[in-house]
Amino acid sequence: MSTPRDDRARLEREERWRQLMRAAQDGDNAAYAALLSEILPVLRRFVAYRWPSAPDVEDIVQEVLLSVHTVRHTYDPARPFMPWLMTIAMRRTIDAARRRTARNANETTVDIMPETFSGDDAKNEQEISDDQEAIRRALAQLPDGQRQAVELMKVKGLSLLEASAVTGKSVASLKVSVHRGLKTMREVLKRETQ
Amino acid sequence: MNSEELIRRLAASAKPVRRLPHPMWRAMMWFMLSLAYAAGLVSVIGLRGDFSVRIAEPRFLIELSAAILTSMMAAAAAFCSTCPGRPLWERLAPFPFLLVWLASLGEGCWRDWTLHGYQGLAIQQEFSCFWKIVATSAAPLVLILVMVRRGAPIAPYLTTGLATLAAASLVAAGMLLFHQQESSVMVLVWQFGSVLVLSGLAALFGRHVLYWRTVDKRSLENQTTPHC
């Protein structure tokens, strides 16, 4: 049960926030920073109370802060500040809960993540050797200029400037050669896998 | 980024904002513009043949007034619903007038039934009525949606439904002036029904029409955060 002193403190806080918001709307950045800092613990409590099992309270609080920021022009200083703030906080908390429910409906939780095969560590030696052989074959099919550009920049790891110094070609020309070379290799590898 | 850092960036990038005018003022602005559009529409198409007879009937006047007031109140309710912290009862403002409109049509149906029996309640297919309401309400609907998008999307489905109700009922009121319907049941089904169906359908797309604008974190870093 609230005492008269609590009520007075609440009214004073309400009036202060109203003034701060009015000043913030007029472009007073210090007032705006003070207001957002003062409402931050209130928002944390609100979100934690409304959604006790929320896994990401701080994310939702930040979403509320961003929403307050984008719609701060909708606040009418003639009206109380707290209902305005709490409506936004409630709306964004419900949105976050809804999003999470939708995401959970489409996700399956697993204890052990399935192995991926994109990295060489996850492959056996035979597979690595097969891959390398296929790349070597695709590289061999490229015209000389493109093969040299791909070898220097993608196999040996030279920069464009370094490759330009080695080949005597311009940077632009090397870029085009690498792009075309990789495209051709991709098509060759695709054909082989089919 | 932690919340304290976010606050620092938001405060640093905040620019003065133009406060949204009072919802009633915005509703009035929309209503006057849309009324001018509806009046233009009626003047282009021309008044219905029996207008001089119908305008003398109290029931017709009630029907017309109820449709116009529904439109006006729905617009006000739509604008109120985009202002956080406003009382919830404001969103119900158009419904008494909608009920009066329905009651006047119901009374008309009753009278037709007592005069002509089942013949008076015969419904003919007139889908053109629905499409006419869709086509003619497009302009006021686009206008009100553009205007409500300046507010906060705290009730997107309701706001979109109310905005459509405002536009469609204004056009339906206009149609009462230029489109001659044989019986009240036809007006009930093809005009009042179209207004309700359109509002309901539009409400379903509320979340696509009204949504929270995202703040670009990069713009925060560059201190140029946009606002609505």
Side-chain angles (χ1 to χ4, degrees):
Chain A
M1 198 174 153
S2 64
T3 62
R5 186 182 293 176
D6 290 340
D7 289 344
R8 204 168 45 245
R10 204 171 293 135
L11 284 174
E12 281 170 7
R13 187 185 69 175
E14 166 69 37
E15 186 53 32
R16 188 173 66 253
W17 285 357
R18 195 190 297 199
Q19 297 300 334
L20 286 173
M21 191 58 175
R22 182 201 292 267
Q25 287 178 321
D26 293 336
D28 184 341
N29 292 11
Y32 192 38
L35 176 70
L36 294 181
S37 301
E38 284 186 33
I39 65 171
L40 181 60
V42 177
L43 292 178
R44 281 180 180 142
R45 274 200 304 277
F46 177 84
V47 174
Y49 174 74
R50 284 285 160 189
W51 191 9
S53 59
D56 39 16
V57 171
E58 208 57 25
D59 283 354
I60 301 167
V61 168
Q62 289 195 8
E63 241 176 72
V64 177
L65 286 171
L66 288 169
S67 301
V68 165
H69 182 73
T70 51
V71 300
R72 64 191 188 282
H73 62 289
T74 65
Y75 176 66
D76 176 2
R79 298 187 66 82
F81 178 77
M82 272 305 266
W84 181 83
L85 176 68
M86 287 301 121
T87 306
I88 296 169
M90 174 69 98
R91 194 65 255 164
R92 298 310 277 152
T93 308
I94 291 170
D95 287 346
R98 195 176 285 154
R99 267 201 312 276
R100 177 151 287 273
T101 309
R103 203 163 48 226
N104 287 349
N106 296 315
E107 278 181 0
T108 311
T109 311
V110 290
D111 293 332
I112 303 165
M113 289 302 289
E115 229 175 305
T116 59
F117 295 96
S118 57
D120 282 348
D121 295 344
K123 298 179 176 182
N124 61 36
E125 281 182 15
Q126 182 61 46
E127 281 176 327
I128 293 168
S129 153
D130 287 353
D131 282 358
Q132 287 175 351
E133 190 54 41
I135 289 168
R136 220 171 277 133
R137 276 200 304 277
L139 197 58
Q141 290 184 36
L142 296 180
D144 290 344
Q146 289 180 14
R147 189 174 61 246
Q148 188 188 24
V150 172
E151 276 174 350
L152 287 174
M153 294 173 63
K154 300 296 171 189
V155 181
K156 293 183 180 169
L158 265 61
S159 69
L160 269 169
L161 286 175
E162 287 165 344
S164 171
V166 171
T167 58
K169 290 181 180 171
S170 69
V171 168
S173 157
L174 278 171
K175 273 188 188 172
V176 173
S177 297
V178 169
H179 174 74
R180 287 184 181 160
L182 291 178
K183 195 176 167 196
T184 310
M185 284 176 71
R186 213 172 287 133
E187 281 163 8
V188 170
L189 289 170
K190 207 168 159 187
R191 268 204 306 274
E192 280 194 5
T193 50
Q194 282 169 356
Chain B
M1 191 192 307
N2 63 32
S3 300
E4 285 75 12
E5 175 61 16
L6 177 67
I7 287 173
R8 195 194 61 73
R9 288 190 188 187
L10 287 175
S13 65
K15 296 222 169 90
V17 290
R18 197 159 53 89
R19 288 186 196 99
L20 213 53
H22 194 278
M24 292 304 164
W25 171 244
R26 294 162 69 209
M28 204 47 75
M29 280 277 291
W30 172 81
F31 187 73
M32 295 315 286
L33 287 170
S34 301
L35 197 64
Y37 163 80
L41 210 63
V42 174
S43 69
V44 167
I45 297 169
L47 290 169
R48 58 196 281 177
D50 61 348
F51 179 74
S52 53
V53 179
R54 296 300 306 276
I55 198 69
E57 293 174 14
R59 197 186 62 75
F60 181 78
L61 280 177
I62 291 171
E63 195 180 314
L64 186 64
S65 312
I68 291 172
L69 285 168
T70 300
S71 166
M72 204 187 280
M73 289 296 119
F79 286 115
C80 285
S81 70
T82 61
C83 296
R86 292 197 71 89
L88 291 178
W89 64 262
E90 290 176 341
R91 301 174 190 185
L92 303 174
F95 295 103
F97 300 100
L98 196 68
L99 283 177
V100 172
W101 188 6
L102 178 65
S104 72
L105 286 170
E107 193 273 334
C109 290
W110 171 259
R111 202 189 44 181
D112 288 345
W113 186 67
T114 50
L115 284 176
H116 310 291
Y118 288 112
Q119 200 79 36
L121 296 181
I123 301 170
Q124 282 113 41
Q125 282 198 355
E126 202 168 309
F127 284 105
S128 64
C129 214
F130 176 79
W131 294 117
K132 273 178 198 164
I133 290 183
V134 171
T136 48
S137 63
L141 180 59
V142 168
L143 178 65
I144 196 170
L145 288 178
V146 169
M147 288 173 81
V148 293
R149 271 169 65 87
R150 281 209 68 218
I154 47 173
Y157 298 113
L158 182 72
T159 305
T160 312
L162 286 170
T164 313
L165 178 64
S169 36
L170 184 67
V171 164
M175 280 186 83
L176 286 173
L177 301 178
F178 63 75
H179 185 73
Q180 197 167 334
Q181 288 280 17
E182 294 302 320
S183 63
S184 289
V185 73
M186 289 291 283
V187 179
L188 178 70
V189 172
W190 295 111
Q191 290 187 17
F192 187 82
S194 299
V195 169
L196 289 192
V197 167
L198 272 179
S199 307
L201 284 177
L204 295 177
F205 294 95
R207 205 164 269 282
H208 299 280
V209 179
L210 302 169
Y211 46 84
W212 293 93
R213 314 278 165 88
T214 49
V215 175
D216 186 2
K217 295 273 174 73
R218 281 171 302 179
S219 72
L220 279 182
E221 284 161 13
N222 298 334
Q223 318 277 296
T224 55
T225 308
H227 66 81
C228 299

PDB file of all heavy atoms in Angstrom, chain B residues 2 4 11-12 37 59 69-70 75 81 102 106 123 137 143 146 157 189 197-198 205-206 215-216 221:
ATOM      1  N   ASN B   2      26.055  -2.084 -24.636  1.00  0.00           N
ATOM      2  CA  ASN B   2      25.202  -2.129 -23.448  1.00  0.00           C
ATOM      3  C   ASN B   2      24.219  -0.948 -23.454  1.00  0.00           C
ATOM      4  O   ASN B   2      24.347  -0.016 -24.254  1.00  0.00           O
ATOM      5  CB  ASN B   2      26.036  -2.177 -22.166  1.00  0.00           C
ATOM      6  CG  ASN B   2      26.876  -0.930 -21.976  1.00  0.00           C
ATOM      7  OD1 ASN B   2      26.468   0.150 -22.381  1.00  0.00           O
ATOM      8  ND2 ASN B   2      28.045  -1.074 -21.380  1.00  0.00           N
ATOM      9  N   GLU B   4      23.612   1.479 -21.394  1.00  0.00           N
ATOM     10  CA  GLU B   4      24.143   2.807 -21.041  1.00  0.00           C
ATOM     11  C   GLU B   4      24.809   3.452 -22.262  1.00  0.00           C
ATOM     12  O   GLU B   4      24.645   4.652 -22.512  1.00  0.00           O
ATOM     13  CB  GLU B   4      25.145   2.689 -19.888  1.00  0.00           C
ATOM     14  CG  GLU B   4      24.524   2.450 -18.519  1.00  0.00           C
ATOM     15  CD  GLU B   4      24.019   1.018 -18.318  1.00  0.00           C
ATOM     16  OE1 GLU B   4      24.351   0.136 -19.158  1.00  0.00           O
ATOM     17  OE2 GLU B   4      23.292   0.782 -17.335  1.00  0.00           O
ATOM     18  N   ALA B  11      21.154   9.887 -27.051  1.00  0.00           N
ATOM     19  CA  ALA B  11      21.094  11.281 -26.584  1.00  0.00           C
ATOM     20  C   ALA B  11      21.983  12.175 -27.439  1.00  0.00           C
ATOM     21  O   ALA B  11      21.609  13.300 -27.782  1.00  0.00           O
ATOM     22  CB  ALA B  11      21.499  11.345 -25.120  1.00  0.00           C
ATOM     23  N   ALA B  12      23.142  11.648 -27.813  1.00  0.00           N
ATOM     24  CA  ALA B  12      24.078  12.464 -28.605  1.00  0.00           C
ATOM     25  C   ALA B  12      23.534  12.730 -30.005  1.00  0.00           C
ATOM     26  O   ALA B  12      23.798  13.777 -30.596  1.00  0.00           O
ATOM     27  CB  ALA B  12      25.429  11.760 -28.686  1.00  0.00           C
ATOM     28  N   TYR B  37     -12.981  15.834 -51.180  1.00  0.00           N
ATOM     29  CA  TYR B  37     -12.841  14.817 -52.233  1.00  0.00           C
ATOM     30  C   TYR B  37     -14.200  14.172 -52.519  1.00  0.00           C
ATOM     31  O   TYR B  37     -14.604  14.031 -53.680  1.00  0.00           O
ATOM     32  CB  TYR B  37     -11.816  13.773 -51.774  1.00  0.00           C
ATOM     33  CG  TYR B  37     -11.848  12.480 -52.537  1.00  0.00           C
ATOM     34  CD1 TYR B  37     -11.236  12.360 -53.785  1.00  0.00           C
ATOM     35  CD2 TYR B  37     -12.495  11.355 -52.005  1.00  0.00           C
ATOM     36  CE1 TYR B  37     -11.267  11.160 -54.477  1.00  0.00           C
ATOM     37  CE2 TYR B  37     -12.531  10.159 -52.683  1.00  0.00           C
ATOM     38  CZ  TYR B  37     -11.914  10.061 -53.922  1.00  0.00           C
ATOM     39  OH  TYR B  37     -11.948   8.878 -54.596  1.00  0.00           O
ATOM     40  N   ARG B  59     -35.406   9.034 -41.945  1.00  0.00           N
ATOM     41  CA  ARG B  59     -34.567   7.832 -41.897  1.00  0.00           C
ATOM     42  C   ARG B  59     -33.322   7.973 -42.797  1.00  0.00           C
ATOM     43  O   ARG B  59     -32.216   7.579 -42.440  1.00  0.00           O
ATOM     44  CB  ARG B  59     -35.381   6.613 -42.330  1.00  0.00           C
ATOM     45  CG  ARG B  59     -34.726   5.290 -41.912  1.00  0.00           C
ATOM     46  CD  ARG B  59     -35.477   4.118 -42.481  1.00  0.00           C
ATOM     47  NE  ARG B  59     -35.482   4.117 -43.943  1.00  0.00           N
ATOM     48  CZ  ARG B  59     -34.433   3.775 -44.674  1.00  0.00           C
ATOM     49  NH1 ARG B  59     -33.316   3.406 -44.105  1.00  0.00           N
ATOM     50  NH2 ARG B  59     -34.501   3.818 -45.983  1.00  0.00           N
ATOM     51  N   LEU B  69     -20.815  10.487 -39.402  1.00  0.00           N
ATOM     52  CA  LEU B  69     -20.260  10.520 -38.033  1.00  0.00           C
ATOM     53  C   LEU B  69     -19.387   9.290 -37.755  1.00  0.00           C
ATOM     54  O   LEU B  69     -18.382   9.382 -37.049  1.00  0.00           O
ATOM     55  CB  LEU B  69     -21.397  10.612 -37.011  1.00  0.00           C
ATOM     56  CG  LEU B  69     -22.029  12.002 -36.923  1.00  0.00           C
ATOM     57  CD1 LEU B  69     -23.317  11.949 -36.130  1.00  0.00           C
ATOM     58  CD2 LEU B  69     -21.053  12.999 -36.279  1.00  0.00           C
ATOM     59  N   THR B  70     -19.770   8.149 -38.319  1.00  0.00           N
ATOM     60  CA  THR B  70     -18.928   6.954 -38.167  1.00  0.00           C
ATOM     61  C   THR B  70     -17.556   7.230 -38.760  1.00  0.00           C
ATOM     62  O   THR B  70     -16.522   6.913 -38.155  1.00  0.00           O
ATOM     63  CB  THR B  70     -19.570   5.742 -38.891  1.00  0.00           C
ATOM     64  OG1 THR B  70     -20.839   5.500 -38.325  1.00  0.00           O
ATOM     65  CG2 THR B  70     -18.709   4.502 -38.755  1.00  0.00           C
ATOM     66  N   ALA B  75     -11.965   8.054 -37.810  1.00  0.00           N
ATOM     67  CA  ALA B  75     -10.704   8.751 -38.084  1.00  0.00           C
ATOM     68  C   ALA B  75     -10.078   9.233 -36.769  1.00  0.00           C
ATOM     69  O   ALA B  75      -8.881   9.031 -36.527  1.00  0.00           O
ATOM     70  CB  ALA B  75     -10.941   9.925 -39.023  1.00  0.00           C
ATOM     71  N   SER B  81      -5.392   6.074 -31.547  1.00  0.00           N
ATOM     72  CA  SER B  81      -4.764   4.774 -31.293  1.00  0.00           C
ATOM     73  C   SER B  81      -3.282   4.754 -31.667  1.00  0.00           C
ATOM     74  O   SER B  81      -2.607   3.759 -31.428  1.00  0.00           O
ATOM     75  CB  SER B  81      -5.509   3.673 -32.051  1.00  0.00           C
ATOM     76  OG  SER B  81      -5.274   3.800 -33.436  1.00  0.00           O
ATOM     77  N   LEU B 102     -26.469   1.017 -38.630  1.00  0.00           N
ATOM     78  CA  LEU B 102     -27.011  -0.331 -38.810  1.00  0.00           C
ATOM     79  C   LEU B 102     -28.499  -0.362 -38.424  1.00  0.00           C
ATOM     80  O   LEU B 102     -29.324  -0.966 -39.127  1.00  0.00           O
ATOM     81  CB  LEU B 102     -26.212  -1.321 -37.951  1.00  0.00           C
ATOM     82  CG  LEU B 102     -26.663  -2.777 -37.985  1.00  0.00           C
ATOM     83  CD1 LEU B 102     -26.463  -3.361 -39.379  1.00  0.00           C
ATOM     84  CD2 LEU B 102     -25.871  -3.608 -36.977  1.00  0.00           C
ATOM     85  N   GLY B 106     -31.612  -1.324 -40.584  1.00  0.00           N
ATOM     86  CA  GLY B 106     -32.477  -2.400 -40.099  1.00  0.00           C
ATOM     87  C   GLY B 106     -33.938  -1.960 -40.084  1.00  0.00           C
ATOM     88  O   GLY B 106     -34.833  -2.720 -40.480  1.00  0.00           O
ATOM     89  N   ILE B 123     -32.409  -9.901 -52.346  1.00  0.00           N
ATOM     90  CA  ILE B 123     -31.034  -9.382 -52.556  1.00  0.00           C
ATOM     91  C   ILE B 123     -30.565  -9.767 -53.956  1.00  0.00           C
ATOM     92  O   ILE B 123     -30.549 -10.939 -54.309  1.00  0.00           O
ATOM     93  CB  ILE B 123     -30.057  -9.953 -51.503  1.00  0.00           C
ATOM     94  CG1 ILE B 123     -30.522  -9.583 -50.095  1.00  0.00           C
ATOM     95  CG2 ILE B 123     -28.640  -9.444 -51.741  1.00  0.00           C
ATOM     96  CD1 ILE B 123     -29.766 -10.301 -48.997  1.00  0.00           C
ATOM     97  N   SER B 137     -12.689   4.828 -52.299  1.00  0.00           N
ATOM     98  CA  SER B 137     -12.130   5.085 -50.953  1.00  0.00           C
ATOM     99  C   SER B 137     -10.596   5.020 -50.939  1.00  0.00           C
ATOM    100  O   SER B 137      -9.985   5.287 -49.914  1.00  0.00           O
ATOM    101  CB  SER B 137     -12.716   4.120 -49.916  1.00  0.00           C
ATOM    102  OG  SER B 137     -12.361   2.805 -50.251  1.00  0.00           O
ATOM    103  N   LEU B 143      -4.476   8.646 -47.846  1.00  0.00           N
ATOM    104  CA  LEU B 143      -4.181   9.863 -47.080  1.00  0.00           C
ATOM    105  C   LEU B 143      -4.142   9.584 -45.579  1.00  0.00           C
ATOM    106  O   LEU B 143      -3.196   9.969 -44.875  1.00  0.00           O
ATOM    107  CB  LEU B 143      -5.225  10.941 -47.403  1.00  0.00           C
ATOM    108  CG  LEU B 143      -5.077  12.248 -46.631  1.00  0.00           C
ATOM    109  CD1 LEU B 143      -3.773  12.945 -46.997  1.00  0.00           C
ATOM    110  CD2 LEU B 143      -6.258  13.180 -46.912  1.00  0.00           C
ATOM    111  N   VAL B 146      -1.122   7.433 -44.568  1.00  0.00           N
ATOM    112  CA  VAL B 146       0.113   8.236 -44.531  1.00  0.00           C
ATOM    113  C   VAL B 146       0.152   9.048 -43.239  1.00  0.00           C
ATOM    114  O   VAL B 146       1.186   9.153 -42.578  1.00  0.00           O
ATOM    115  CB  VAL B 146       0.200   9.155 -45.776  1.00  0.00           C
ATOM    116  CG1 VAL B 146       1.308  10.179 -45.628  1.00  0.00           C
ATOM    117  CG2 VAL B 146       0.437   8.319 -47.026  1.00  0.00           C
ATOM    118  N   TYR B 157      -3.227  -3.407 -36.009  1.00  0.00           N
ATOM    119  CA  TYR B 157      -4.427  -4.001 -36.634  1.00  0.00           C
ATOM    120  C   TYR B 157      -5.638  -3.081 -36.451  1.00  0.00           C
ATOM    121  O   TYR B 157      -6.369  -2.794 -37.394  1.00  0.00           O
ATOM    122  CB  TYR B 157      -4.722  -5.369 -36.016  1.00  0.00           C
ATOM    123  CG  TYR B 157      -3.603  -6.368 -36.232  1.00  0.00           C
ATOM    124  CD1 TYR B 157      -2.834  -6.840 -35.172  1.00  0.00           C
ATOM    125  CD2 TYR B 157      -3.309  -6.839 -37.509  1.00  0.00           C
ATOM    126  CE1 TYR B 157      -1.810  -7.750 -35.377  1.00  0.00           C
ATOM    127  CE2 TYR B 157      -2.289  -7.743 -37.722  1.00  0.00           C
ATOM    128  CZ  TYR B 157      -1.541  -8.203 -36.652  1.00  0.00           C
ATOM    129  OH  TYR B 157      -0.522  -9.091 -36.854  1.00  0.00           O
ATOM    130  N   VAL B 189     -26.474  -4.791 -47.383  1.00  0.00           N
ATOM    131  CA  VAL B 189     -25.529  -5.824 -47.821  1.00  0.00           C
ATOM    132  C   VAL B 189     -24.378  -5.224 -48.617  1.00  0.00           C
ATOM    133  O   VAL B 189     -23.208  -5.473 -48.315  1.00  0.00           O
ATOM    134  CB  VAL B 189     -26.261  -6.907 -48.652  1.00  0.00           C
ATOM    135  CG1 VAL B 189     -25.269  -7.873 -49.281  1.00  0.00           C
ATOM    136  CG2 VAL B 189     -27.249  -7.648 -47.770  1.00  0.00           C
ATOM    137  N   VAL B 197     -16.532  -5.355 -44.482  1.00  0.00           N
ATOM    138  CA  VAL B 197     -15.600  -6.344 -45.054  1.00  0.00           C
ATOM    139  C   VAL B 197     -14.259  -5.686 -45.348  1.00  0.00           C
ATOM    140  O   VAL B 197     -13.188  -6.222 -45.009  1.00  0.00           O
ATOM    141  CB  VAL B 197     -16.209  -6.977 -46.337  1.00  0.00           C
ATOM    142  CG1 VAL B 197     -15.158  -7.757 -47.114  1.00  0.00           C
ATOM    143  CG2 VAL B 197     -17.361  -7.887 -45.970  1.00  0.00           C
ATOM    144  N   LEU B 198     -14.324  -4.509 -45.958  1.00  0.00           N
ATOM    145  CA  LEU B 198     -13.077  -3.806 -46.287  1.00  0.00           C
ATOM    146  C   LEU B 198     -12.266  -3.484 -45.030  1.00  0.00           C
ATOM    147  O   LEU B 198     -11.048  -3.684 -44.989  1.00  0.00           O
ATOM    148  CB  LEU B 198     -13.387  -2.498 -47.013  1.00  0.00           C
ATOM    149  CG  LEU B 198     -13.512  -2.560 -48.520  1.00  0.00           C
ATOM    150  CD1 LEU B 198     -13.850  -1.192 -49.058  1.00  0.00           C
ATOM    151  CD2 LEU B 198     -12.199  -3.038 -49.121  1.00  0.00           C
ATOM    152  N   PHE B 205      -3.977  -6.649 -42.504  1.00  0.00           N
ATOM    153  CA  PHE B 205      -2.662  -6.245 -43.011  1.00  0.00           C
ATOM    154  C   PHE B 205      -2.013  -5.161 -42.139  1.00  0.00           C
ATOM    155  O   PHE B 205      -1.036  -4.539 -42.543  1.00  0.00           O
ATOM    156  CB  PHE B 205      -2.779  -5.742 -44.452  1.00  0.00           C
ATOM    157  CG  PHE B 205      -3.181  -6.822 -45.413  1.00  0.00           C
ATOM    158  CD1 PHE B 205      -4.505  -7.013 -45.759  1.00  0.00           C
ATOM    159  CD2 PHE B 205      -2.225  -7.682 -45.944  1.00  0.00           C
ATOM    160  CE1 PHE B 205      -4.889  -8.032 -46.628  1.00  0.00           C
ATOM    161  CE2 PHE B 205      -2.592  -8.695 -46.811  1.00  0.00           C
ATOM    162  CZ  PHE B 205      -3.925  -8.875 -47.153  1.00  0.00           C
ATOM    163  N   GLY B 206      -2.599  -4.966 -40.960  1.00  0.00           N
ATOM    164  CA  GLY B 206      -2.131  -3.888 -40.085  1.00  0.00           C
ATOM    165  C   GLY B 206      -0.638  -3.887 -39.828  1.00  0.00           C
ATOM    166  O   GLY B 206       0.010  -2.842 -39.875  1.00  0.00           O
ATOM    167  N   VAL B 215      16.029   1.737 -35.970  1.00  0.00           N
ATOM    168  CA  VAL B 215      17.049   2.784 -35.903  1.00  0.00           C
ATOM    169  C   VAL B 215      18.350   2.170 -36.400  1.00  0.00           C
ATOM    170  O   VAL B 215      18.765   1.113 -35.932  1.00  0.00           O
ATOM    171  CB  VAL B 215      17.235   3.282 -34.463  1.00  0.00           C
ATOM    172  CG1 VAL B 215      18.370   4.287 -34.373  1.00  0.00           C
ATOM    173  CG2 VAL B 215      15.948   3.904 -33.967  1.00  0.00           C
ATOM    174  N   ASP B 216      18.942   2.812 -37.371  1.00  0.00           N
ATOM    175  CA  ASP B 216      20.197   2.330 -37.923  1.00  0.00           C
ATOM    176  C   ASP B 216      21.330   2.648 -36.938  1.00  0.00           C
ATOM    177  O   ASP B 216      21.597   3.812 -36.655  1.00  0.00           O
ATOM    178  CB  ASP B 216      20.435   3.011 -39.278  1.00  0.00           C
ATOM    179  CG  ASP B 216      21.661   2.461 -39.984  1.00  0.00           C
ATOM    180  OD1 ASP B 216      22.283   1.523 -39.432  1.00  0.00           O
ATOM    181  OD2 ASP B 216      21.975   2.960 -41.071  1.00  0.00           O
ATOM    182  N   GLU B 221      26.040   6.070 -34.713  1.00  0.00           N
ATOM    183  CA  GLU B 221      27.468   6.334 -34.561  1.00  0.00           C
ATOM    184  C   GLU B 221      27.858   7.630 -35.260  1.00  0.00           C
ATOM    185  O   GLU B 221      28.708   8.375 -34.818  1.00  0.00           O
ATOM    186  CB  GLU B 221      28.275   5.174 -35.147  1.00  0.00           C
ATOM    187  CG  GLU B 221      28.264   3.971 -34.220  1.00  0.00           C
ATOM    188  CD  GLU B 221      28.645   2.683 -34.924  1.00  0.00           C
ATOM    189  OE1 GLU B 221      29.153   2.742 -36.051  1.00  0.00           O
ATOM    190  OE2 GLU B 221      28.422   1.619 -34.323  1.00  0.00           O
TER     191      GLU B 221
END
